[in-house]
Amino acid sequence: MGFANNYAFLMVGRFVAGVGVGYALMIAPVYTAEVSPASIRGFLTSFPEVFINGGSLLGYVSNYAFSKLPDHLGWRFMLGIGTIPSFFMTLGVLAMPESPRWLVMQGRLGDAKQVLDKTSDTSEEAQLRLMDIKEAAGIPEGCNDDIVKVQKKSHGEGVWRELFLHPTPTVRHILICGVGIHFFQQASGIDAVALYSPRIFEKAGITSSNDKLLATIAVGSVKTIFILVATFLLDKVGRRPLLLSSVGGMILSLLALGMGLSVIDHSTKKLNWAVGLSITSVMAYVATFSIGMGPITWVYSSEIFPLRLRAQGTSAGVAVNRVVSGVITTTFLSLYKAISIGGAFFLFAAIATVAWLFFFTCYPETG
């Protein structure tokens, strides 16, 4: 993309990058949940969200630095610099072990046992995890050969049917929870706040391009710091309490942001208290989102599905997540022109309220 010489070239690069991001978003939480020992699964499964936001923060900082370059070079460096972390990620992936679940599905029990021995707290835990995976793959409990022949049905056939066409009441509840949390994560407006924060700050009275970029860096910093805090609280506090308190904070922040921006919209003079309220509300929103709703979405959806349904169930949730994100991102400007920018955030507050009620009534704590 950095070397693009026309719009079509740029879009092809963006499409390829989008495919890679989509793969990573689906694979990372499932892989982490399948490799991690139970004692730190929540901590590790939240890491993709930590590094996504860490990368976004680095993007904001580099964009600020590259904005000083001439226009014909700045955007090329903004896009091309992503090659460096991608290169190191490629080297890292080469050193990663294969998922023990996938190895068992291929009949490679010996290799799966070696991975589980390295990634479990005790040998007893490794044996229990192997037994669970073998049961999900339809391999008899007493089979201890290093290589076994696996029945075709254990390669994933029938899982989509079990999830969507003929689910049991329990599987239906799990599917609703797994997909619902991804839907509400995006429908509550995080991408509108994160991606359009320069426009929000402009509405609040910050007109300098330099100041808007600095304010965006501040948003990214708050988001990253609070996600790091969440990683240490997930296994101590639990998913459900953290999720409910996070969404409650998001509702209050969105209401305050909607009120502040509405007052600014209808005022003929600058009101410092409304400007301060709007900026503080943006920071409070990303903080409360990041301490619960952000990381827990990925942790919860990867933990709630039984092992045999985990990959397909999580991928369905991620697909909904990306579709809703795309809808919010592409319609936000039209939405706030139609109902005002304050009204848009009141709408997100209403959606977040529905989300809180949904989580409160439907979501159990995971094991």
Side-chain angles (χ1 to χ4, degrees):
M1 289 186 284
F3 285 111
N5 56 7
N6 56 52
Y7 181 75
F9 194 149
L10 183 66
M11 286 299 100
V12 169
R14 185 66 189 87
F15 175 81
V16 174
V19 171
V21 169
Y23 279 5
L25 284 173
M26 288 194 178
I27 293 168
V30 175
Y31 176 85
T32 308
E34 291 179 349
V35 171
S36 306
S39 59
I40 55 170
R41 184 175 296 138
F43 176 77
L44 293 178
T45 310
S46 66
F47 260 39
E49 185 74 5
V50 172
F51 286 106
I52 286 170
N53 284 277
S56 296
L57 176 58
L58 288 176
Y60 295 147
V61 173
S62 66
N63 288 353
Y64 177 75
F66 293 139
S67 68
K68 311 300 181 185
L69 296 175
D71 288 345
H72 71 283
L73 290 178
W75 68 270
R76 293 185 182 277
F77 278 97
M78 288 178 186
L79 294 171
I81 197 71
T83 303
I84 296 173
S86 299
F87 173 76
F88 285 108
M89 186 167 70
T90 301
L91 296 179
V93 168
L94 293 175
M96 290 162 56
E98 185 53 82
S99 158
R101 177 178 178 271
W102 186 86
L103 290 170
V104 170
M105 289 172 62
Q106 306 308 307
R108 296 162 56 184
L109 299 189
D111 292 338
K113 188 176 184 304
Q114 288 180 9
V115 174
L116 289 169
D117 286 339
K118 292 178 181 178
T119 59
S120 299
D121 292 327
T122 64
S123 58
E124 290 79 9
E125 183 189 356
Q127 292 175 3
L128 287 173
R129 290 172 66 188
L130 181 59
M131 286 172 56
D132 290 341
I133 299 171
K134 285 163 63 177
E135 181 182 355
I139 298 174
E141 184 178 335
C143 181
N144 294 313
D145 297 337
D146 285 347
I147 303 292
V148 299
K149 186 176 181 180
V150 181
Q151 296 177 4
K152 186 178 179 181
K153 67 178 183 180
S154 68
H155 286 263
E157 289 81 357
V159 171
W160 293 109
R161 190 183 308 113
E162 186 177 351
L163 272 173
F164 293 104
L165 298 181
H166 306 293
T168 64
T170 301
V171 170
R172 186 184 299 112
H173 185 191
I174 291 171
L175 181 64
I176 291 170
C177 289
V179 172
I181 195 168
H182 276 283
F183 172 82
F184 282 115
Q185 185 200 51
Q186 294 300 326
S188 55
I190 183 59
D191 279 354
V193 173
L195 298 179
Y196 291 101
S197 55
R199 284 183 177 265
I200 297 170
F201 291 132
E202 182 178 2
K203 198 73 176 178
I206 301 176
T207 54
S208 163
S209 296
N210 196 58
D211 290 344
K212 282 189 283 187
L213 279 170
L214 289 173
T216 304
I217 291 173
V219 170
S221 300
V222 170
K223 207 164 179 279
T224 303
I225 289 168
F226 277 89
I227 284 179
L228 283 170
V229 172
T231 61
F232 293 98
L233 294 178
L234 274 169
D235 291 318
K236 294 180 181 178
V237 177
R239 283 67 160 153
R240 180 180 162 88
L242 211 54
L243 179 63
L244 292 174
S245 57
S246 167
V247 178
M250 289 164 56
I251 294 168
L252 296 176
S253 302
L254 287 166
L255 289 172
L257 179 58
M259 184 175 72
L261 292 173
S262 295
V263 169
I264 292 170
D265 237 359
H266 293 87
S267 177
T268 56
K269 59 181 181 179
K270 185 175 181 178
L271 300 173
N272 289 330
W273 70 266
V275 172
L277 177 64
S278 299
I279 295 173
T280 303
S281 298
V282 170
M283 301 300 177
Y285 174 77
V286 297
T288 52
F289 174 89
S290 299
I291 207 167
M293 186 69 155
I296 288 175
T297 296
W298 303 98
V299 174
Y300 199 94
S301 65
S302 65
E303 288 183 336
I304 194 172
F305 288 99
L307 194 59
R308 70 184 186 281
L309 306 177
R310 183 173 292 159
Q312 289 85 347
T314 303
S315 66
V318 174
V320 170
N321 185 298
R322 293 298 85 201
V323 168
V324 177
S325 172
V327 170
I328 295 294
T329 301
T330 55
T331 61
F332 177 70
L333 293 179
S334 301
L335 179 66
Y336 98 63
K337 289 176 182 176
I339 62 174
S340 80
I341 190 167
F345 288 108
F346 283 133
L347 176 60
F348 290 139
I351 294 172
T353 303
V354 174
W356 192 94
L357 294 171
F358 175 63
F359 298 148
F360 182 79
T361 56
C362 296
Y363 279 55
E365 183 60 85
T366 60

